Amino acid sequence: MLKLAQASLVTSQKDFPFSGLDEFFKNLDGKLKDGYVAATDGKSFRYLSIIEGKPYSSAAIEGDRRWCADIKDFFIWCRERGQVDIDVFEADKKLLLCMLVKMNYRPSQSFTTDVVNLEDVIKRIKKQGKDAVMAIGSDGELGFAIFLKGDAAYAALPQKEEGAESPLDRLLLYTYSVSADKPLSVEIYTETKVSPAKDSAPFPAGGIATHYVGAPSSIYVELVEEGVVKGTYPVKEKLTIGREKTNQMCLSDAGVSREHAIIKPVKGRYIIEDIKSANGTFFKGIRITTKELNDGDEINIRKYTLRFHGPKKEADIKRPPEPAPELKPVRPPEAPGKTGKEPVTAGATLTMEDGTVYPLANITTIGKDEDCDINLSGMLVAKKHATVIKGMDFHKVIRKSGLAPLRVNGEKVDEQTLKDGDVIEIGGHTLKFRAAGTFL
């Protein structure tokens, strides 16, 4: 990050979400006359300069590259990352303009003070009688000097020199005091004209982020890596996903295909489609080709999780979620002479995640085959994946075949005697075991 000499830190925020930028900048409006906002995702940096109380221009640094940009670009970048670290600095207007010169132009001369005598360079600038900006770097901190028609007119340096009244004296004293121990890096810029970004404007009443990139889409995907949200991507006409940089969501992992998947609206629904990727697209551990997405669904591509946020189903909006289905055995027909109030004994059952209840027979088969008593879908589920057998006073589940492991209460098993409340997992499906009991 560029650390400008004599710029003072106003506030600092870690992992700040894009959705909070409108309110964040509203708090700066009227309180920061001249300064800049620095944002980083840990790899690259974006800067938004504020001059005379309004957004003036933005700039970017990525590796060795640096450039000036429209204000809109700052907010597009923040939206794509989802969360960024933010620092706000108060700084002199001339210092900000010098920074923009450095970001916008290439230097006409670059050197270090152990190779070139700075006094000779200053004499040459004076002899030429031209305007110039000098950038001076030391220990990651950047200072500037401005020359007007060859004369030093302004100097903002990492340390103030006592007794130096003129900008030229401050510049020379600073150079002598520091360069003796460590050479300074110096750049001379003869192109010094700086203009505001073409979309520069006072802080908009409706929120600056909303003004430049629109209100956050109600249909969007969060990119999650190692439990941290790395970016937020709106879904409009489509959202392309892959390793190629032309994708709207670019995933750099080598195992991601160049064009891996796409999310698109289809007749009011949202569909994710795998584009014949080498390593697949997964939902709940099952490889998918296409799938309709519901609000909250999480799709996995290699080390990445894509969390979909979309329209909630009407039933979910109008009424609260219903409680989990309660196991209530059906009462058999009343025998002659019975009152109908006698206790009923229910047999053991397996209950699917959607509430479907399957009574268990002496032998109950589970798998993809249509002949199975409990039919499960999924590429990792075998035709006959598992069997539940009934003993004298127990039920036991036994794995038969298939790529998906058989788990009971999260533990991988080949066979397991079941207890009331045990949860069986097969290929992303869960079945809850309820032992036989007596109910009124």
Side-chain angles (χ1 to χ4, degrees):
M1 179 182 293
L2 284 178
K3 185 180 179 184
L4 298 186
Q6 300 181 25
S8 56
L9 181 66
V10 175
T11 186
S12 183
Q13 301 282 345
K14 295 292 184 183
D15 298 324
F16 196 84
F18 171 76
S19 58
L21 286 181
D22 278 342
E23 189 65 27
F24 181 83
F25 277 93
K26 280 182 182 178
N27 292 331
L28 292 181
D29 187 12
K31 298 177 183 177
L32 186 66
K33 183 181 177 183
D34 297 307
Y36 65 99
V37 178
T40 179
D41 62 353
K43 297 179 181 178
S44 55
F45 300 88
R46 294 295 185 273
Y47 301 88
L48 181 66
S49 58
I50 297 171
I51 295 179
E52 296 181 354
K54 74 175 186 178
Y56 186 86
S57 182
S58 77
I61 295 179
E62 289 188 359
D64 296 330
R65 298 173 58 237
R66 64 192 189 208
W67 66 92
C68 284
D70 293 337
I71 293 168
K72 180 179 180 179
D73 291 9
F74 177 90
F75 292 100
I76 290 174
W77 181 85
C78 288
R79 181 180 66 185
E80 289 175 348
R81 270 110 192 113
Q83 289 180 305
V84 293
D85 295 344
I86 290 180
D87 294 310
V88 180
F89 294 89
E90 190 172 24
D92 183 80
K93 175 181 176 180
K94 294 185 181 69
L95 183 64
L96 297 172
L97 293 174
C98 287
M99 181 183 75
L100 293 177
V101 167
K102 177 178 173 63
M103 301 296 286
N104 208 34
Y105 301 111
R106 292 183 178 274
S108 59
Q109 187 178 359
S110 300
F111 58 90
T112 56
T113 52
D114 61 333
V115 176
V116 177
N117 187 298
L118 187 61
E119 278 193 83
D120 292 340
V121 175
I122 292 173
K123 288 178 182 177
R124 192 179 307 118
I125 292 174
K126 183 173 179 61
K127 184 177 181 180
Q128 291 172 344
K130 294 182 178 180
D131 296 343
V133 169
M134 179 182 292
I136 306 170
S138 174
D139 294 326
E141 196 164 8
L142 196 60
F144 288 97
I146 298 176
F147 294 83
L148 297 178
K149 295 182 179 180
D151 293 322
Y154 172 82
L157 304 166
Q159 65 187 47
K160 294 183 179 180
E161 300 299 332
E162 298 295 334
E165 296 183 359
S166 71
L168 180 59
D169 288 343
R170 290 199 295 274
L171 178 59
L172 292 174
L173 283 174
Y174 170 72
T175 304
Y176 294 145
S177 64
V178 177
S179 60
D181 300 322
K182 185 177 181 180
L184 298 172
S185 60
V186 180
E187 295 175 337
I188 308 296
Y189 295 85
T190 52
E191 293 181 89
T192 60
K193 184 179 179 180
V194 176
S195 301
K198 63 178 181 289
D199 57 353
S200 173
F203 281 97
I208 188 168
T210 297
H211 173 79
Y212 282 106
V213 297
S217 173
S218 59
I219 313 298
Y220 63 97
V221 176
E222 288 179 321
L223 174 61
V224 183
E225 186 178 348
E226 297 180 352
V228 178
V229 177
K230 295 293 187 178
T232 303
Y233 299 82
V235 182
K236 295 181 179 178
E237 293 181 2
K238 62 181 179 180
L239 176 63
T240 57
I241 304 160
R243 195 175 76 251
E244 193 70 44
K245 290 185 178 180
T246 53
N247 288 286
Q248 293 162 300
M249 182 187 290
C250 180
L251 307 179
S252 59
D253 188 288
V256 177
S257 296
R258 293 178 180 276
E259 295 178 349
H260 197 105
I262 186 171
I263 296 175
K264 56 187 178 182
V266 178
K267 296 181 179 179
R269 302 176 300 148
Y270 286 83
I271 304 293
I272 184 167
E273 179 181 341
D274 183 90
I275 311 176
K276 298 181 180 179
S277 65
N279 291 310
T281 302
F282 294 82
F283 176 70
K284 291 185 176 181
I286 300 173
R287 187 165 183 166
I288 59 172
T289 303
T290 60
K291 182 191 181 307
E292 179 181 355
L293 293 172
N294 298 309
D295 183 60
D297 279 353
E298 292 188 349
I299 300 298
N300 297 105
I301 297 176
R302 300 291 287 176
K303 65 180 180 180
Y304 306 99
T305 297
L306 281 57
R307 186 180 297 139
F308 178 74
H309 294 269
K312 293 180 172 56
K313 295 180 180 179
E314 187 177 351
D316 295 336
I317 298 173
K318 290 187 175 181
R319 60 175 182 268
E322 296 180 0
E326 182 181 354
L327 184 62
K328 293 183 177 179
V330 179
R331 187 179 303 278
E334 296 179 11
K338 298 289 186 181
T339 64
K341 297 182 180 179
E342 288 76 14
V344 176
T345 300
T349 61
L350 287 177
T351 303
M352 290 284 291
E353 61 263 30
D354 63 359
T356 305
V357 180
Y358 294 93
L360 295 177
N362 291 334
I363 298 177
T364 303
T365 55
I366 305 171
K368 195 181 328 187
D369 198 291
E370 293 181 358
D371 294 334
C372 286
D373 300 305
I374 300 177
N375 189 251
L376 303 181
S377 60
M379 186 174 181
L380 303 181
V381 179
K383 290 185 176 181
K384 287 187 173 56
H385 203 102
T387 300
V388 179
I389 61 171
K390 179 182 177 182
M392 288 294 294
D393 56 357
F394 67 88
H395 283 79
K396 180 182 287 189
V397 61
I398 302 171
R399 183 177 182 272
K400 292 295 186 181
S401 61
L403 296 175
L406 171 67
R407 298 182 189 274
V408 176
N409 299 329
E411 296 293 329
K412 187 176 178 181
V413 299
D414 288 323
E415 61 179 68
Q416 179 76 36
T417 299
L418 299 171
K419 303 184 301 294
D420 185 59
D422 281 351
V423 176
I424 299 171
E425 298 175 57
I426 298 173
H429 300 278
T430 60
L431 304 95
K432 187 172 184 178
F433 174 72
R434 293 301 304 270
T438 300
F439 304 86
L440 286 176

